[in-house]
C-alpha cells in the first residue's frame, strides 16, 4: 500500500506500462548500446501524471524521490537530457536520479521507473541477468513502474528470461500488480 500522497496515482503499486501496441516500440542500437525513444516519452508522461496527482492531493507539499533506471548507457543519457529540459515544470520531486541499474546498488527511491529499452531485437542481452533485474525492481519504496514491450519480453527467445518470471509474478498478484497497455 503506497503512502497517502501516492495513493491512486497508478491503479496498483506495481505497474507495467506496456508499449506492445505502440507503432514505434522497437529499440535502436547506438554503437554498443541501445535506446528507445518511445520509452523515454512514456516515462516523461508518467512523471507529468505523477506530479499532477501529487499537486492535486491534500499533501501537495510532500516531495518524492524518483529513480529512472535502465540497463543501457545511451538510454540513460536520453532520459537524463529529457528530464533536464522538463525538470523546472515539476513541483513534487525532491530528486530525480537517472542512471544505469549497476550504479544504483544499495540506493532507494520512493518511485522507481525501469526502462526495459530492448524490443524487436533477437536476444535479451543485459536483461538476462536476474541479479541486475532484481536490483532494478526492488528499489522502489512506494511505487514501481516498468516501461517496456511486454509481448516482446514474454516471447523473446532464450533459455533464461527473468522478465517473463516478473510478468508471471505480476499476473499471479493482481491485488498489487497491473499491466497497462498504452
Amino acid at each position: 500500500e503506497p503512502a497517502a500522497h501516492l495513493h491512486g496515482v497508478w491503479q496498483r503499486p506495481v505497474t507495467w506500462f506496456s508499449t506492445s501496441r505502440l507503432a514505434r516500440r522497437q529499440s535502436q542500437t547506438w554503437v554498443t548500446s541501445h535506446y528507445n525513444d518511445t520509452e523515454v516519452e512514456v516515462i516523461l508522461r508518467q512523471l507529468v501524471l505523477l506530479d499532477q496527482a501529487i499537486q492535486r492531493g491534500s499533501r501537495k507539499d510532500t516531495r518524492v524521490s524518483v529513480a529512472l533506471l535502465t540497463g543501457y548507457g545511451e538510454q540513460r543519457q536520453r532520459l537524463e537530457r529529457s528530464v533536464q529540459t522538463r525538470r523546472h515544470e515539476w513541483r513534487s520531486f525532491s530528486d530525480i536520479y537517472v542512471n544505469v541499474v549497476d550504479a544504483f546498488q544499495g540506493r532507494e527511491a520512493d518511485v522507481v521507473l525501469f526502462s526495459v529499452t530492448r524490443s524487436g531485437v533477437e536476444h535479451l542481452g543485459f536483461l538476462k541477468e536476474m541479479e541486475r533485474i532484481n536490483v532494478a525492481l526492488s528499489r522502489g519504496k512506494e511505487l514501481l513502474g516498468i516501461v517496456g514491450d511486454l509481448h516482446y519480453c514474454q516471447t523473446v527467445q532464450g533459455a533464461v528470461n527473468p522478465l517473463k518470471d516478473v510478468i508471471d509474478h505480476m499476473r499471479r498478484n493482481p491485488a498489487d500488480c497491473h499491466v497497462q497497455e498504452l
Side-chain angles (χ1 to χ4, degrees):
E1 192 71 359
H5 57 284
L6 292 172
H7 196 77
V9 172
W10 296 340
Q11 287 187 22
R12 297 286 181 272
V14 178
T15 302
W16 189 305
F17 299 96
S18 174
T19 60
S20 299
R21 295 183 184 161
L22 303 180
R24 290 176 49 243
R25 65 185 175 277
Q26 264 89 359
S27 52
Q28 311 293 317
T29 307
W30 178 259
V31 195
T32 60
S33 196
H34 295 263
Y35 67 92
N36 190 318
D37 286 332
T38 297
E39 290 184 20
V40 172
E41 288 164 26
V42 169
I43 287 170
L44 282 182
R45 176 92 189 108
Q46 287 309 318
L47 290 174
V48 168
L49 293 172
L50 192 60
D51 181 58
Q52 288 171 347
I54 293 168
Q55 290 304 313
R56 271 198 308 270
S58 58
R59 310 269 305 278
K60 61 173 176 280
D61 296 332
T62 310
R63 294 288 170 269
V64 175
S65 62
V66 178
L68 309 182
L69 302 178
T70 176
Y72 300 97
E74 183 60 26
Q75 184 74 345
R76 184 200 70 74
Q77 287 182 319
R78 284 162 189 261
L79 284 164
E80 183 76 58
R81 279 199 298 271
S82 304
V83 164
Q84 290 313 334
T85 55
R86 302 286 298 278
R87 178 105 215 212
H88 64 281
E89 300 171 25
W90 304 319
R91 292 199 297 258
S92 308
F93 307 130
S94 57
D95 184 32
I96 304 177
Y97 180 89
V98 184
N99 220 323
V100 290
V101 170
D102 292 347
F104 200 64
Q105 281 202 265
R107 298 187 61 157
E108 272 190 326
D110 296 316
V111 178
V112 168
L113 279 157
F114 174 62
S115 173
V116 174
T117 309
R118 280 172 99 100
S119 167
V121 289
E122 207 172 317
H123 302 290
L124 277 174
F126 163 86
L127 301 170
K128 284 201 298 275
E129 297 176 44
M130 194 65 217
E131 313 77 63
R132 293 162 113 181
I133 298 293
N134 277 339
V135 168
L137 303 188
S138 63
R139 300 298 177 212
K141 288 192 284 198
E142 307 289 344
L143 297 176
L144 167 66
I146 303 169
V147 177
D149 183 345
L150 184 103
H151 179 73
Y152 165 78
C153 291
Q154 273 189 300
T155 56
V156 63
Q157 294 306 302
V160 180
N161 182 351
L163 286 170
K164 190 175 185 318
D165 299 335
V166 170
I167 295 163
D168 292 343
H169 171 82
M170 290 180 70
R171 295 211 192 283
R172 284 195 309 271
N173 293 277
D176 298 314
C177 304
H178 174 69
V179 173
Q180 187 175 326
E181 290 287 350
L182 301 172

